[in-house]
Amino acid sequence: LIASSLLILLSLLIHTDNLQAQVETPILQCVNIQSNDGSIQITWQPSSNNQCGVSFTAYNIYVAIDETGPFSLLAAITNEAATTYNDNVSDASNTLYFYITKECAGIESAPSNTVNTNFPVAPVITLVSVLPDNSVQLAWEDSTSPEAFGYIIYRANPDGTFSPIGTVDESGSNFYGDTTAEPNLQSESYKLAAFDSCSTEPGPTSIVHSTIYLEYELNSCEGEVRFEWNDYEAWDISEYRLVEVTTNGLNQLVTTLDPVLLAYNLEGLTEATCFALEAVKDGSNGATKSISNVVCIDPDFVESPDFIYMTNVTVNDAGANEIEWTLDNSITLNTLNIKRGIADSSDLSTLTNFGATPPFEYVDAAVQSNFNNYVYQIEHVDECGQKAFSSIAKTILLTGEDQFGN
């Protein structure tokens, strides 16, 4: 008899579990506090694939003041076609938690997801990065709120306010490409908010993430490039990397920089090169990188000639000094000065300026070549005031006397 009773009880339990499994759980979509009267509207999606028909008993709505319970029955909705219920009893000044079940022929479904009266929690932005086409890619982790239906993407305005630029479904991709941004002109800032399927109001927004805006200044006189950028403040940066952007898409590391630095001086650039800055954050799943805009630099540095040679200094038949020289004209020449002095004197003064195009020759007629020999030197002064000199050339003063000592 005892064995038979146990078999009957076990059969009833299995039958009950099967029935419960057959009663599909409704989807609790959202719980919103109504602005007009402070009531709480609960919205769900009925189990369209599992209509109870005449055996339908009720949608049972449960409420608690804590996510872990205890939950008590708030209402039993006996209309199977119903999708909303307005709670005029509960105190909406506190955060309340709700779930719903469906009951058919005395068998209650498993509870739905639990939804509270707060706005959906914002998704967490994991990355904003500039792509090679100057669009901005955002990536995020989904909201932890089960009622989150979609996300609103906000971008900062010049005055610091934010405006929505797009929405995405919660069930869709966790990426968004902003093709209207101008990260090559400024740092672009973003934040996200979640919304449910019932409310036109979004919830609180996420932490702001801003793209890295890389800019540079070419110091033509010092022969260096100064890079400056804004900090990626939303991350705990492990390092910055200045990289050379190549046409094959494989960036080449130029240097690794301390995360506290926001500027770097690069020397030795000799040809047109494109650069970007990477902010690197180490994590348990490896490193994550945010990349700045790309800047392309043509190093138009001021150069001095590699050589200046005096090739001829001669006294002509008229007693004037003819001067000739050659120099490196593979660069853009600036100012040439002809300097002159009396032999055996270290004091050379500028005689005249000379154009930077050949022929490089000059006739100095304001001399007394019968009584003095002269020294000449060519001086090049570049746009930065840096000077380059030729060697010194000297005229020959020929003297003699006759047999009488004259």
Side-chain angles (χ1 to χ4, degrees):
L1 180 62
I2 294 175
S4 299
S5 299
L6 288 173
L7 286 172
I8 293 170
L9 179 59
L10 180 60
S11 176
L12 287 172
L13 288 172
I14 293 172
H15 180 67
T16 300
D17 286 344
N18 287 338
L19 284 174
Q20 187 179 42
Q22 292 171 11
V23 179
E24 187 176 341
T25 302
I27 300 172
L28 184 55
Q29 290 180 298
C30 40
V31 175
N32 297 120
I33 299 173
Q34 304 300 293
S35 58
N36 57 343
D37 59 6
S39 65
I40 303 171
Q41 185 177 76
I42 302 153
T43 304
W44 64 91
Q45 181 179 326
S47 354
S48 58
N49 295 328
N50 186 11
Q51 298 292 332
C52 292
V54 294
S55 66
F56 175 77
T57 305
Y59 290 115
N60 297 320
I61 300 173
Y62 295 85
V63 64
I65 60 174
D66 188 272
E67 187 175 12
T68 59
F71 285 83
S72 59
L73 182 64
L74 172 67
I77 313 303
T78 58
N79 178 7
E80 190 175 10
T83 57
T84 62
Y85 173 75
N86 272 43
D87 175 11
N88 297 297
V89 177
S90 302
D91 182 6
S93 63
N94 298 314
T95 300
L96 299 175
Y97 299 84
F98 296 84
Y99 72 78
I100 188 171
T101 65
K102 184 177 183 178
E103 186 177 346
C104 297
I107 304 300
E108 194 170 13
S109 71
S112 70
N113 53 296
T114 300
V115 177
N116 62 38
T117 50
N118 296 328
F119 283 109
V121 174
V124 177
I125 298 177
T126 56
L127 169 73
V128 295
S129 187
V130 182
L131 299 182
D133 63 357
N134 274 327
S135 64
V136 177
Q137 184 180 66
L138 289 77
W140 61 84
E141 295 176 353
D142 282 329
S143 168
T144 56
S145 299
E147 72 272 24
F149 183 73
Y151 306 125
I152 301 176
I153 296 95
Y154 296 89
R155 188 178 69 206
N157 300 310
D159 62 0
T161 61
F162 281 79
S163 297
I165 60 170
T167 59
V168 294
D169 291 337
E170 187 274 338
S171 60
S173 171
N174 286 45
F175 297 92
Y176 180 83
D178 181 8
T179 59
T180 63
E182 295 181 323
N184 57 322
L185 301 178
Q186 61 194 4
S187 174
E188 299 281 14
S189 298
Y190 298 87
K191 60 183 181 179
L192 302 181
F195 61 91
D196 60 34
S197 61
C198 308
S199 175
T200 57
E201 292 185 68
T205 55
S206 64
I207 295 174
V208 173
H209 281 237
S210 302
T211 61
I212 302 171
Y213 176 53
L214 180 65
E215 53 188 336
Y216 73 93
E217 182 178 355
L218 194 64
N219 190 329
S220 298
C221 294
E222 296 297 328
E224 65 181 18
V225 181
R226 180 172 179 81
F227 294 98
E228 294 184 355
W229 59 90
N230 59 291
D231 190 19
Y232 196 113
E233 296 179 350
W235 279 358
D236 184 13
I237 302 295
S238 57
E239 64 184 17
Y240 286 110
R241 298 172 184 169
L242 183 66
V243 296
E244 178 184 338
V245 179
T246 60
T247 55
N248 61 11
L250 300 175
N251 294 344
Q252 301 296 318
L253 179 65
V254 176
T255 187
T256 299
L257 301 166
D258 192 283
V260 301
L261 296 178
L262 297 177
Y264 175 72
N265 292 340
L266 176 67
E267 298 178 348
L269 187 64
T270 58
E271 59 185 6
T273 310
C274 295
F275 297 92
L277 191 78
E278 299 176 346
V280 182
K281 180 185 73 168
D282 291 331
S284 57
N285 296 323
T288 304
K289 295 188 297 184
S290 172
I291 305 176
S292 74
N293 57 301
V294 175
V295 295
C296 294
I297 305 170
D298 189 357
D300 186 19
F301 294 130
V302 173
E303 298 179 273
S304 292
D306 285 341
F307 61 87
I308 309 175
Y309 299 136
M310 300 292 292
T311 58
N312 183 44
V313 176
T314 302
V315 180
N316 63 20
D317 293 340
N321 294 336
E322 295 181 358
I323 309 161
E324 297 177 5
W325 66 93
T326 185
L327 76 164
D328 174 17
N329 61 359
S330 65
I331 63 171
T332 301
L333 298 173
N334 195 41
T335 301
L336 289 173
N337 297 323
I338 301 175
K339 303 180 75 68
R340 185 186 67 185
I342 301 296
D344 301 326
S345 171
S346 59
D347 185 17
L348 275 69
S349 58
T350 299
L351 173 63
T352 186
N353 304 120
F354 196 86
T357 55
F360 297 126
E361 55 187 37
Y362 179 76
V363 176
D364 181 13
V367 292
Q368 294 178 318
S369 55
N370 291 332
F371 301 99
N372 297 298
N373 56 354
Y374 294 86
V375 293
Y376 293 91
Q377 187 177 45
I378 305 301
E379 175 189 66
H380 178 266
V381 184
D382 65 25
E383 296 174 6
C384 301
Q386 298 173 341
K387 299 177 180 180
F389 298 93
S390 71
S391 56
I392 292 177
K394 181 190 297 186
T395 62
I396 299 172
L397 175 62
L398 181 62
T399 61
E401 60 182 32
D402 59 20
Q403 59 182 332
F404 303 106
N406 298 318

